[in-house]
Amino acid sequence: MWRLNVGKGNENDPYIWSTNNYLGRQIWEFDPKAGTPEERAEVEEARQNFYKNRFKIHPDSDSDLLWQFQFQREKNFKQTIPQPKVEDGEEVTFEATSAAVRRSAQLFAALQSKDGHWPAINAGPMFFLPPLVFTMYITGTLNTVFPAEYRKEMLRYIYYHQNEDGGWGLYVGGHSMMFCTSLNYICMRMLGVEPDGGLDNAAERARKWIFDHGGITTSASWGKTWMAILGVYEWAGCHPMPPEFWLFPDWFPLHAGRCALSPYNTTTYALG
């Protein structure tokens, strides 16, 4: 079972280091022996509920639920304040509002980590994970840096945030776009998914979306660049990005730092 370790390091891990004794550092680690059968069943139920309701509610990830379960179990948290309920047309009273605030404060106090911060995830953009996988693949370290259980969770994240039409948006819940759909499709294949495989035929549906929307040649600049790096797209099809633009001052309209912030910022194309 997965556990979130806060403020801890691993002296034997060459990929994780800190200059402040790991203060505020959050690291997910897989422990095959962790958790009781009941706890594992609770986690699996949360994952299934997340997947079934993902098009109705758009939280960032089911991992948010997992660390909350973990913290509440570790602190033996029990909500002691009854949930106030206000029916339609009923007046919102001071007592009901105060109870709701106290109830929320009690929960958030239980979710605070031992070093004082509240865990969170930075997983909304759907173009963060694929380049990481690409880099590990290119350097031949994908299976070394990310063991099987880690690759499994990467695929779960991709599956859980695939849109109904088969594509992926720029961010969680965003409308499908070629940039992120093509990257996540390639990422799935690198993680071992067959052309027609994946949860609910994720790869097949993604490929259909790509074909139905003009193919990967319609991807934004960042997508084309990554595909060229991987050798599946010609460099001649990429917009040139001269490094000299980094030398322009911040106030200049074509300052490279600004255009680099958005994968489909029009300034990026102006550089070509």
Side-chain angles (χ1 to χ4, degrees):
M1 195 166 79
W2 287 93
R3 297 183 59 82
L4 184 66
N5 286 330
V6 176
K8 295 181 180 180
N10 185 347
E11 296 180 354
N12 298 320
D13 192 333
Y15 304 107
I16 300 176
W17 58 279
S18 174
T19 59
N20 65 349
N21 197 28
Y22 301 95
L23 182 64
R25 179 66 66 89
Q26 304 166 192
I27 302 175
W28 282 102
E29 294 182 348
F30 182 76
D31 183 354
K33 299 180 181 180
T36 64
E38 292 76 15
E39 290 172 343
R40 296 182 183 183
E42 184 181 16
V43 167
E44 187 59 30
E45 182 181 3
R47 284 173 167 164
Q48 293 301 321
N49 287 335
F50 179 94
Y51 187 70
K52 292 177 182 178
N53 297 289
R54 65 193 186 282
F55 299 129
K56 300 176 182 178
I57 304 174
H58 287 290
D60 272 350
S61 175
D62 63 331
S63 63
D64 186 62
L65 300 175
L66 301 189
W67 75 260
Q68 290 192 38
F69 285 161
Q70 175 185 328
F71 275 35
Q72 291 178 41
R73 288 195 301 268
E74 291 176 350
K75 299 180 181 181
N76 196 26
F77 172 75
K78 302 294 182 183
Q79 182 60 264
T80 59
I81 302 175
Q83 181 181 10
K85 295 184 179 180
V86 180
E87 302 295 338
D88 290 342
E90 186 178 350
E91 181 181 357
V92 179
T93 64
F94 175 81
E95 290 75 15
T97 304
S98 298
V101 172
R102 291 197 304 271
R103 181 181 172 90
S104 300
Q106 189 177 56
L107 173 61
F108 277 104
L111 296 178
Q112 187 176 21
S113 68
K114 62 182 181 180
D115 62 4
H117 84 285
W118 279 266
I121 58 175
N122 182 18
M126 293 305 297
F127 55 90
F128 278 1
L129 176 61
L132 176 61
V133 173
F134 298 165
T135 303
M136 298 299 103
Y137 178 84
I138 292 169
T139 57
T141 58
L142 179 58
N143 295 341
T144 302
V145 177
F146 300 121
E149 287 296 333
Y150 289 74
R151 301 195 300 273
K152 178 181 177 180
E153 293 305 319
M154 289 177 173
L155 284 172
R156 190 195 306 275
Y157 182 80
I158 294 174
Y159 296 151
Y160 280 26
H161 295 297
Q162 186 176 21
N163 292 333
E164 288 184 273
D165 61 9
W168 285 268
L170 186 66
Y171 54 88
V172 171
H175 67 274
S176 298
M177 61 182 304
M178 188 60 66
F179 169 53
C180 289
T181 300
S182 57
L183 291 190
N184 279 278
Y185 174 77
I186 297 172
C187 184
M188 279 196 299
R189 298 299 310 280
M190 284 187 174
L191 291 172
V193 177
E194 296 296 326
D196 297 329
L199 183 61
D200 290 337
N201 303 110
E204 180 183 10
R205 292 190 294 121
R207 189 170 61 256
K208 183 179 185 304
W209 190 96
I210 292 173
F211 288 154
D212 289 347
H213 292 80
I216 60 173
T217 56
T218 63
S219 176
S221 292
W222 282 9
K224 292 178 180 178
T225 300
W226 273 112
M227 287 185 285
I229 293 173
L230 293 171
V232 296
Y233 187 80
E234 293 293 338
W235 280 105
C238 299
H239 294 285
M241 292 176 279
E244 291 79 10
F245 278 88
W246 285 102
L247 301 177
F248 286 153
D250 291 350
W251 53 263
F252 195 72
L254 298 185
H255 180 252
R258 291 176 181 168
C259 70
L261 294 178
S262 173
Y264 57 175
N265 190 318
T266 54
T267 310
T268 303
Y269 296 97
L271 294 178

